[in-house]
Amino acid sequence: MLVVDVLAVALSLAVAGLEPVGPGDWQALALLVLGLVVHVETARGIERRREVVADGQPYIELKSVWSFAGLLLLPLGLALALVVVTFAYWWLRVSQRPVPHRWTYSAATVLIASVAAWAVLELIPGGLLVKVSGPVGLLVLVAAGLTRWTVNHGLVVFMICLSAPGTPWWKRLGSPTDTLIGLGALALGAALAVVALTTPWLLPVLLIPVMGMHRGFLIQQFARAARTDPKTGLSNASAWRDQAERELARLRRRGGELGVIMVDIDAFKAINDRHGHLVGDAVLRAVADTLRSEVRPYDAVGRFGGEEFVVLLAEAGPEQVGTTAERLRRRISECQVEVAPTLGGGTVQGLTASIGTASFPQASRDLDGLMVSADTALYAAKHGGRNRVECAPPRPTQR
């Protein structure tokens, strides 16, 4: 993080004086700052709710509208200064739980991304209206927007992967909808810049789609939160069941096999009693991350309740289901959960899990039957000494 922060400062100072600043540029900067203030004050309530709902989830904000418009309208030095002002004002007025090193890192990534996008824009000389006057200019503008997004988002995802290893990087990218709205904000910033040069009195009208995008974000995040277990980030039982029903219906039409794996952490109550519920929550997250990392991206992992998890393996026969379950059991036994000093310190290790599996169509042809069969196998593993895998037998053949 420090390397990126220092690079952003050094790069900004090196390029800040490359373009001269005129009186009209200060007026344009003041206009953009005014728009930013109106935007922040209007959306502050929405963004604070999003900040709470988005805890532990990708958080795409829309202040890039103003910083990208500034990159197109202003000399590079003022455009970079606008990035700093944007982050500072957003931090002061929106964030309820500011984490300074994260905010400075986010600002640093935008500064670096803005310089990269400016380099792309310089492929066509002249002002903004000259740059976008033809199809080549449009391509350069699109390339600049994509460059800004890729550098900014790439650096953020890279740091998330470093700070929270264990989950494949592609699961850290955020949803396609988030990406589309983030790119839409940059496109709106480009439109805002053109309007500011041609008909500035229309600028207030562009605040309407900005607020609409804020509302769309909020609805999307509430919908995501309603389907996500807050402690582990996995699908909750209802969302997992919906996905399992859809996959089962598909296999009934086209043919194929799937497996259900139920996982129960052994002696979880003893962990809570010994270390406290906050450490127990950390154990749940560690097991959830292990399950998620050990299955394929299109397999469904959910928290069933308490210390129980459930996994749906698509297109998997009984042998593959059993092999996967055994691998999950082994990986859970290798988990080591570091306890924060404020919670007593130390390491929780020696975890074990009892696992039951059931296969479609061998054990049952409906989801309830598969769940009952896997649950029965799970209890057989518990009664058999724990820390083992039991597979539900095929149902009797009907005559």
Short mmCIF file of all heavy atoms in Angstrom, two decimals, residues 31 86 92-93 169 210 243 253 316 341 348 354 366:
data_model
loop_
_atom_site.label_atom_id
_atom_site.label_comp_id
_atom_site.label_asym_id
_atom_site.label_seq_id
_atom_site.Cartn_x
_atom_site.Cartn_y
_atom_site.Cartn_z
N LEU A 31 -16.79 25.01 -10.86
CA LEU A 31 -18.08 24.45 -11.28
C LEU A 31 -18.17 22.97 -10.95
O LEU A 31 -19.20 22.48 -10.45
CB LEU A 31 -18.27 24.67 -12.78
CG LEU A 31 -19.63 24.27 -13.38
CD1 LEU A 31 -20.74 25.12 -12.81
CD2 LEU A 31 -19.59 24.40 -14.90
N THR A 86 -12.14 15.53 -4.13
CA THR A 86 -13.30 14.64 -4.18
C THR A 86 -13.25 13.61 -3.06
O THR A 86 -14.23 13.40 -2.33
CB THR A 86 -13.36 13.93 -5.55
OG1 THR A 86 -13.48 14.91 -6.58
CG2 THR A 86 -14.55 13.00 -5.62
N LEU A 92 -15.18 13.17 4.47
CA LEU A 92 -15.67 13.99 5.58
C LEU A 92 -17.19 13.93 5.72
O LEU A 92 -17.72 13.94 6.83
CB LEU A 92 -15.23 15.43 5.40
CG LEU A 92 -13.72 15.71 5.56
CD1 LEU A 92 -13.40 17.14 5.17
CD2 LEU A 92 -13.30 15.44 6.99
N ARG A 93 -17.89 13.85 4.59
CA ARG A 93 -19.34 14.00 4.63
C ARG A 93 -20.11 12.69 4.57
O ARG A 93 -21.27 12.63 4.96
CB ARG A 93 -19.81 14.89 3.47
CG ARG A 93 -19.27 16.29 3.52
CD ARG A 93 -19.77 17.03 4.76
NE ARG A 93 -21.21 17.25 4.68
CZ ARG A 93 -21.99 17.52 5.73
NH1 ARG A 93 -21.46 17.56 6.93
NH2 ARG A 93 -23.28 17.72 5.57
N TRP A 169 -9.06 -14.94 -7.25
CA TRP A 169 -9.10 -13.51 -7.55
C TRP A 169 -10.34 -13.12 -8.33
O TRP A 169 -10.86 -12.01 -8.18
CB TRP A 169 -7.84 -13.10 -8.32
CG TRP A 169 -7.69 -13.75 -9.66
CD1 TRP A 169 -7.06 -14.91 -9.94
CD2 TRP A 169 -8.22 -13.29 -10.91
NE1 TRP A 169 -7.14 -15.23 -11.26
CE2 TRP A 169 -7.85 -14.24 -11.89
CE3 TRP A 169 -8.96 -12.18 -11.29
CZ2 TRP A 169 -8.21 -14.09 -13.22
CZ3 TRP A 169 -9.32 -12.02 -12.63
CH2 TRP A 169 -8.94 -12.97 -13.57
N VAL A 210 -27.52 10.58 -12.18
CA VAL A 210 -26.58 10.21 -11.11
C VAL A 210 -27.35 9.70 -9.90
O VAL A 210 -27.00 8.65 -9.32
CB VAL A 210 -25.70 11.42 -10.72
CG1 VAL A 210 -24.88 11.09 -9.48
CG2 VAL A 210 -24.78 11.80 -11.87
N GLN A 243 -31.00 -21.82 -5.84
CA GLN A 243 -30.02 -22.23 -6.84
C GLN A 243 -30.02 -23.74 -7.04
O GLN A 243 -29.93 -24.23 -8.18
CB GLN A 243 -28.63 -21.75 -6.43
CG GLN A 243 -27.56 -22.00 -7.49
CD GLN A 243 -26.23 -21.36 -7.14
OE1 GLN A 243 -26.14 -20.56 -6.20
NE2 GLN A 243 -25.18 -21.71 -7.87
N ARG A 253 -34.45 -32.22 -16.85
CA ARG A 253 -34.78 -32.04 -18.26
C ARG A 253 -33.72 -32.66 -19.16
O ARG A 253 -34.04 -33.31 -20.16
CB ARG A 253 -34.92 -30.54 -18.60
CG ARG A 253 -36.12 -29.86 -17.97
CD ARG A 253 -36.34 -28.48 -18.61
NE ARG A 253 -35.14 -27.65 -18.55
CZ ARG A 253 -34.85 -26.81 -17.57
NH1 ARG A 253 -35.67 -26.71 -16.54
NH2 ARG A 253 -33.75 -26.08 -17.61
N ALA A 316 -21.79 -33.96 -11.10
CA ALA A 316 -20.84 -34.79 -10.34
C ALA A 316 -21.50 -36.08 -9.93
O ALA A 316 -22.59 -36.08 -9.35
CB ALA A 316 -20.33 -34.02 -9.11
N PRO A 341 -5.32 -10.06 19.04
CA PRO A 341 -4.89 -9.80 20.42
C PRO A 341 -6.01 -9.28 21.31
O PRO A 341 -6.05 -9.59 22.50
CB PRO A 341 -3.77 -8.76 20.25
CG PRO A 341 -3.25 -9.00 18.86
CD PRO A 341 -4.44 -9.41 18.05
N VAL A 348 -6.51 -20.87 16.78
CA VAL A 348 -7.45 -21.99 16.88
C VAL A 348 -7.10 -22.98 15.77
O VAL A 348 -7.11 -22.62 14.59
CB VAL A 348 -8.91 -21.52 16.73
CG1 VAL A 348 -9.86 -22.72 16.77
CG2 VAL A 348 -9.27 -20.53 17.82
N SER A 354 -17.72 -33.26 10.50
CA SER A 354 -18.42 -34.46 10.05
C SER A 354 -19.22 -34.10 8.82
O SER A 354 -19.85 -33.05 8.75
CB SER A 354 -19.35 -34.97 11.16
OG SER A 354 -18.62 -35.31 12.32
N ASP A 366 -35.57 -35.61 -5.68
CA ASP A 366 -36.01 -34.25 -5.33
C ASP A 366 -35.08 -33.70 -4.26
O ASP A 366 -34.37 -34.43 -3.57
CB ASP A 366 -37.45 -34.25 -4.85
CG ASP A 366 -37.65 -35.09 -3.59
OD1 ASP A 366 -37.35 -34.59 -2.49
OD2 ASP A 366 -38.09 -36.26 -3.72
#
